Amino acid sequence: MDDKIRIGHGSGGSMMQTLIREVFIPAIGNPYLEAGGDAALLPFPEGALAFTTDTFVVNPLFFPGGDIGKLAVCGTLNDLAVVGAKPLYMSAAFLLEEGLDIRVLKMILASMAGEAEAAGVPVVAADTKVVEKAKADKVFIQMSGIGQVSSDKRHLSSMEKLVPGDVLIVNGSIGEHSVAVLAAREDTPLLCPAYSDCANLTGLIEEVWPFMSGIHAMRDLTRGGLATVCCEMASLRRLGIKLREEEIPVLPVTESFCELFGYEPYYLANEGKVILAVEKTMAQDVLKIWRAHPLGKQAAIIGEITDLSPDEVILHTRIGGKRRLIPLPGEQLPRIC
Amino acid sequence: MKIIDQFRHKELAASLVRQIHQEAKGDYTFMEVCGGHTMAIQQFGIPSLLPPGIRLLSGPGCPVCVTARNYVDEAILLAERTGVLLATYGDLLRVPGSKGSLEQSRAEGALVRVIYSPLDVLKLARENPHLQVIFLAIGFETTAPGNGIALMEAQNQGLKNFFMLSAQKVMPPAMQAVVQEGSGVQGFICPGHVSTITGSGIFEFLPRDYGIACVISGFEPVDLLLSILLLIRQINHSQPRIEVQYARAVKPEGNLKAQAVIDRAFDLTPSWWRGFGTISDSGLAPKPSLADWDAQRVFDIQFQEKEDEGLCRCADILRGSAKPFECPLFGLDCTPANPIGACMVSPEGACAASYKYQNYGR
């Protein structure tokens, strides 16, 4: 076996077969994948199908708290979980740059396999392509996921039950994924280390399924951060959102990082955070359950749905002022001074 | 964060707000000069806490806002040359030139790198000896010392591929222009970080010659509220002077080492400001002894600055003669995602800060 990816590894010929046999199957193999057909044959579940797809590119590939493989599996599972789906199957397509160290690929696959196995969700279809050096950046992963949504959870993705008075709960401190990746990318010396919050949220979310009748909306806070997701929720249902700055959990390292670069934590990306809107009467129960879960220890009630300012997210600042939060327009840019 | 927490203290802020409401009599027009202040004021929702008679204007202290469109055009032309790598602070990336922005040039393949410190540019130059690395140096007295060190280090290290395209500026002449233009500004929230470098003396002409109240302020909500209260008191008592609210960082004499770096690296030159035109002795250009590292000289660049044409009112806004929402483009054709004027690009820009805030400010 070579130690670097070569163009031939994507040729469809025997080099590719060797790569699949020796690198992919040992890591992410399962009966569906090993059947080797052009498509996997899967039992058809009852209820609605949830189907999601996402492409994962991250620089650096490995960062404190995660790596591109873990990110891909968790991101796919989380997208399914927040629409109320029980994740069933995933697919993965790998775009590899010629010259990639195969040990790096193995590390990524091991990480994916660990996450997929822990979640009990197999990768049932996979593909590999190799492009010439400099035509891609090391590894890109394209993942899709399928899940089953029972009828009592079908309102989550449309948020049709969202009403004024609903309470917003987030499962922990925001912004750490961006801080960890940016700090690793820019080689920024931070006073204390930052770890990505990258995590599979399906377990945490399943904990609150017994309250599904009162849970009216759920979103994972990925790119664009808390502010952008809240803006999307507000404009989708033409309702207002009030957030209380003092209640929004932000770690000191994130706060320092934002001070230094002129960012706001509300726009930083997360890979293990979810916001839900729940009927007021159930809010304390949901909060209690989340706080007892390892991924929800810092869970907090951060605001509520209102009918005061349709389409708008209003942040009540820690000194008692008010301001709008708007969606992130583009990339957050560090300031000059 | 313990120190910062005291300056974000809810009760302390509330008591300052109460005092402002008690002592404010009638109308006041204040200008926060520094873009960092503009941003902090919006970030903490300060306008929503003030009495309606207090009008806060944003001044010419947002570096990318006052920089000429032509500077961006020249930077883009440089970026499009083969063998050139352009290093810039993030703010400048999306600023529209006459035909596109550096962000668009980057998307089309130009080598444009966002840096966080001028010393990163020296590293880029050393690591890419085959490229000409050009640093877009904009900003005020706060950033000039770091830029000056990079320039002199390039000379010390004999780097042949490091160049600085300077549009650096100094603050006091623009503040004088604001007053002379008749913006009605009665008091300045003076720039805090500029003052840490220069000391408080550079603003003395404002109360002395023009009767303008001045408070050098920090950047936290309690700092800003206290500074506003101090300005109100100076005006109520007709005692305009320089007060240093930001005493934990600003010394009367400033940072002498940093001042020495600026003096060694740069000469004062005339400089063009959006909204004001050319102001004498308001720019910082590399000294003739550093000409080999001065991109303007090496690449023979002539800036032909003029005010932007069209409906954009950035120029009026920077002069303090218009508020962002008085611009016909504001929030409609011109938004943070699709900025037309420079004031909408930087988060420090008056328009970008106001856009975030629409219904809750004035």
Side-chain angles (χ1 to χ4, degrees), chain B residues 21 59 62 70 84 97 112 196 208 236 244-245 256 280 296 331 334:
Chain B
H21 278 262
C62 154
N70 183 241
V84 165
V112 179
T196 59
R208 187 190 61 221
N236 286 357
V244 184
Q245 181 281 329
L256 298 175
S280 57
Q296 200 177 342
C334 183

Side-chain angles (χ1 to χ4, degrees), chain A residues 254-275:
Chain A
T254 309
E255 214 162 320
S256 308
F257 185 85
C258 286
E259 290 293 327
L260 198 60
F261 289 97
Y263 292 150
E264 290 201 85
Y266 317 118
Y267 293 99
L268 298 180
N270 308 274
E271 290 294 341
K273 291 295 162 341
V274 54
I275 188 171

Side-chain angles (χ1 to χ4, degrees), chain B residues 306-355:
Chain B
K306 59 177 175 28
E307 286 296 349
D308 311 330
E309 288 163 5
L311 296 170
C312 170
R313 293 193 66 186
C314 274
D316 296 335
I317 290 161
L318 290 163
R319 268 199 303 269
S321 59
K323 294 283 279 183
F325 62 80
E326 290 165 2
C327 172
L329 303 176
F330 177 78
L332 301 167
D333 298 312
C334 183
T335 62
N338 184 22
I340 290 174
C343 301
M344 190 59 98
V345 180
S346 167
E348 295 184 2
C351 295
S354 295
Y355 180 84

Side-chain angles (χ1 to χ4, degrees), chain A residues 259 261 264 317 323-324 334, chain B residues 8 43-44 91 356 358:
Chain A
E259 290 293 327
F261 289 97
E264 290 201 85
T317 69
R323 70 175 170 111
R324 271 185 79 193
Chain B
R8 294 180 176 177
Q43 190 180 338
F44 294 102
D91 306 40
K356 274 189 163 181
Q358 283 172 10

Side-chain angles (χ1 to χ4, degrees), chain B residues 61-124:
Chain B
C62 154
V64 306
C65 303
V66 291
T67 300
R69 191 171 288 248
N70 183 241
Y71 179 84
V72 177
D73 292 340
E74 292 296 339
I76 289 172
L77 287 176
L78 284 172
E80 285 169 354
R81 294 190 188 196
T82 19
V84 165
L85 188 155
L86 221 59
T88 175
Y89 293 118
D91 306 40
L92 206 52
L93 209 56
R94 270 207 293 265
V95 178
S98 309
K99 301 181 200 99
S101 65
L102 286 166
E103 193 178 40
Q104 285 162 334
S105 299
R106 184 176 70 175
E108 283 158 21
L111 298 177
V112 179
R113 203 70 64 81
V114 171
I115 51 99
Y116 298 86
S117 152
L119 300 181
D120 294 345
V121 190
L122 293 175
K123 197 167 156 228
L124 278 175

